[in-house]
Amino acid sequence: MNATTPNPLQLCVIEGDGIGQEVIPAALDVLKRVAPDVVIRPMQAGWGYFQEHGTSLPEETVEAARECKAVLFGAVSSPAYPVEGYFSPIVRLRRRLQAYANLRPAQYLPVPTAKEGVDLLVVRENTEDLYIGHEHTENDGQTGIAEKVITREATERVSRLAYELARRVGRKKVTIVHKANVLSQSDGLFRRVALEIAAHYPEITTDELYVDTAAYWLVKEPTRFDIILTMNLYGDILSDMAAAWGGGMGLAPSLSLGEEIALAEPVHGSAPDIAGKGIANPTAAILSVAMLLRHYWNRLEAADQVERAVRETLAQGDHTIDIYAQDAISTADFTARVCAHLP
Ligand code: NAI
Ligand code: MG
């Protein structure tokens, strides 16, 4: 939070597609309990919106996000084939808002699907790499080419944020993850610049791993990680892997941060396989709101209250179907139980 944050606090809310429309109202129920002063501005984006209006991210949504300086984003469905005029609104929004660092914690929660002792944070660069979307085909469509862009500027700011955060929250180690042995110009630059920044934080241990080795260790011994600092694509993949140790996709929150902007967004997608049934796990969205309260709005007590309520609900055995099927409860019932644990 900084001097230009609106007073009262404002939140641009984009439910998006699929279960975004189920987990975001749940997260708002919780937010309204712990921060009733926050002004909510509902806005539109996504595949459904594209089909009706011909754009996946209307300008008024970007404008509202800029004015509020804080966004809660559900999920959108993106087709895996080219559609004329369509682009992923969340990837675009992160870039337009320059929300350049995506914090993705994987932390043990009291569910049988989580691994005890895991407490790691993936800090993912959010504005470049292969995600800039510069793609084309050659050779009559038989060759697909994508550009990977890594810059000193983006690497410096995400690295600095990772180390500043480590210092602030008392984390001890940063592992820089790359593939500089193969991609010496792009990943090599990321590695070099991240190590330059690391040198300013001698009290924090820095090591590095190739991304394939990092994937191996994430499966084999996830407790060896503290902060993982990496590029956009590797961060996307490794954070989904890490989410498994936190208990699953339904429990994995994230927060994207920029200079004057925060975007709270669960790691998961629109989950078309379960959408519309009222059974999605709202925990990831609820904990994303807690991250917004803690790391951006500086509402530490409210963040603590939300996180405690989620832990107590899960510890009591209340769960949605993604955790396990027996005695699973609905999104609405689970949310009501979390609210019942709030002061
Ligand atoms: P997904 O995260 O939507 O689903 C993966 C699996 O996890 C599914 O079996 C789903 O049912 C389950 N799952 C996810 N969130 C859950 C929750 N809250 N509660 C219970 N179960 C949950 O990923 P998938 O299937 O690869 O992608 C589906 C769509 O979502 C695609 O169109 C993709 O492009 C989009 N997507 C959007 C993202 C975003 O908007 N930030 C991120 C990832 C995918
Ligand atoms: Mg992903």
Side-chain angles (χ1 to χ4, degrees):
M1 195 169 67
N2 55 60
T4 63
T5 308
N7 183 15
L9 295 177
Q10 293 186 27
L11 182 62
C12 169
V13 175
I14 304 165
E15 294 181 354
D17 303 306
I19 63 166
Q21 297 173 8
E22 302 166 42
V23 298
I24 294 305
L28 287 180
D29 282 351
V30 173
L31 178 67
K32 282 173 193 157
R33 286 283 306 270
V34 296
D37 56 317
V38 174
V39 177
I40 306 293
R41 279 180 69 180
M43 299 303 293
Q44 301 284 332
W47 175 241
Y49 190 86
F50 174 82
Q51 284 171 314
E52 273 182 38
H53 300 92
T55 175
S56 57
L57 183 63
E59 275 309 306
E60 56 264 31
T61 297
V62 181
E63 267 319 296
R66 287 207 170 111
E67 282 161 23
C68 294
K69 299 182 188 290
V71 182
L72 175 61
F73 189 95
V76 290
S77 303
S78 288
Y81 48 87
V83 173
E84 178 75 29
Y86 182 85
F87 52 82
S88 164
I90 182 60
V91 173
R92 184 70 61 97
L93 193 61
R94 289 174 190 144
R95 220 148 77 81
R96 296 254 335 248
L97 301 174
Q98 287 294 298
Y100 60 80
N102 189 197
L103 314 184
R104 298 188 153 193
Q107 226 158 17
Y108 172 78
L109 284 167
V111 292
T113 45
K115 187 176 174 78
E116 251 175 275
V118 171
D119 179 11
L120 64 89
L121 174 70
V122 177
V123 178
R124 167 188 177 189
E125 200 291 322
N126 226 8
T127 62
E128 54 182 28
D129 194 353
L130 283 162
Y131 283 67
I132 55 167
H134 288 181
E135 279 192 295
H136 69 280
T137 56
E138 290 178 3
N139 186 22
D140 265 342
Q142 300 315 297
T143 303
I145 297 172
E147 241 179 283
K148 170 164 178 152
V149 174
I150 302 297
T151 65
R152 166 172 287 276
E153 187 193 0
T155 307
E156 274 181 1
R157 64 186 180 182
V158 73
S159 302
R160 206 170 284 123
L161 187 140
Y163 279 90
E164 284 296 324
L165 185 72
R167 194 176 258 176
R168 184 156 53 83
V169 301
R171 287 188 178 268
K172 302 276 181 286
K173 187 174 79 172
V174 174
T175 304
I176 302 165
V177 171
H178 56 77
K179 190 75 181 172
N181 50 340
V182 177
L183 299 166
S184 61
Q185 303 295 315
S186 49
D187 285 30
L189 176 64
F190 186 89
R191 170 182 182 271
R192 208 163 58 243
V193 173
L195 286 171
E196 279 173 28
I197 300 294
H200 297 286
Y201 299 84
E203 77 279 20
I204 294 160
T205 306
T206 294
D207 63 2
E208 55 180 312
L209 284 175
Y210 295 129
V211 64
D212 44 348
T213 312
Y216 171 80
W217 282 113
L218 253 183
V219 170
K220 175 101 174 145
E221 201 184 315
T223 51
R224 68 176 270 159
F225 290 102
D226 194 346
I227 287 183
I228 293 174
L229 168 61
T230 191
M231 285 155 275
N232 210 337
L233 179 60
Y234 306 148
D236 189 8
I237 297 168
L238 294 179
S239 59
D240 273 32
M241 281 179 75
W245 293 131
M249 294 302 288
L251 301 165
S254 93
L255 184 71
S256 291
L257 286 174
E259 293 312 333
E260 287 189 10
I261 193 80
L263 233 151
E265 38 166 334
V267 170
H268 64 71
S270 59
D273 53 338
I274 59 162
K277 297 182 180 162
I279 57 171
N281 191 341
T283 304
I286 293 170
L287 291 178
S288 300
V289 165
M291 289 185 77
L292 180 67
L293 289 161
R294 180 180 303 287
H295 295 291
Y296 186 61
W297 283 337
N298 211 20
R299 299 266 182 110
L300 305 186
E301 195 182 335
D304 284 345
Q305 287 170 352
V306 173
E307 286 169 1
R308 198 178 316 122
V310 166
R311 270 199 309 276
E312 284 172 4
T313 305
L314 293 169
Q316 211 169 271
D318 290 328
H319 64 276
T320 44
I321 196 165
D322 52 312
I323 306 299
Y324 55 95
Q326 199 186 349
D327 298 328
I329 58 177
S330 68
T331 309
D333 286 346
F334 185 85
T335 307
R337 299 206 185 169
V338 171
C339 288
H341 284 281
L342 293 169

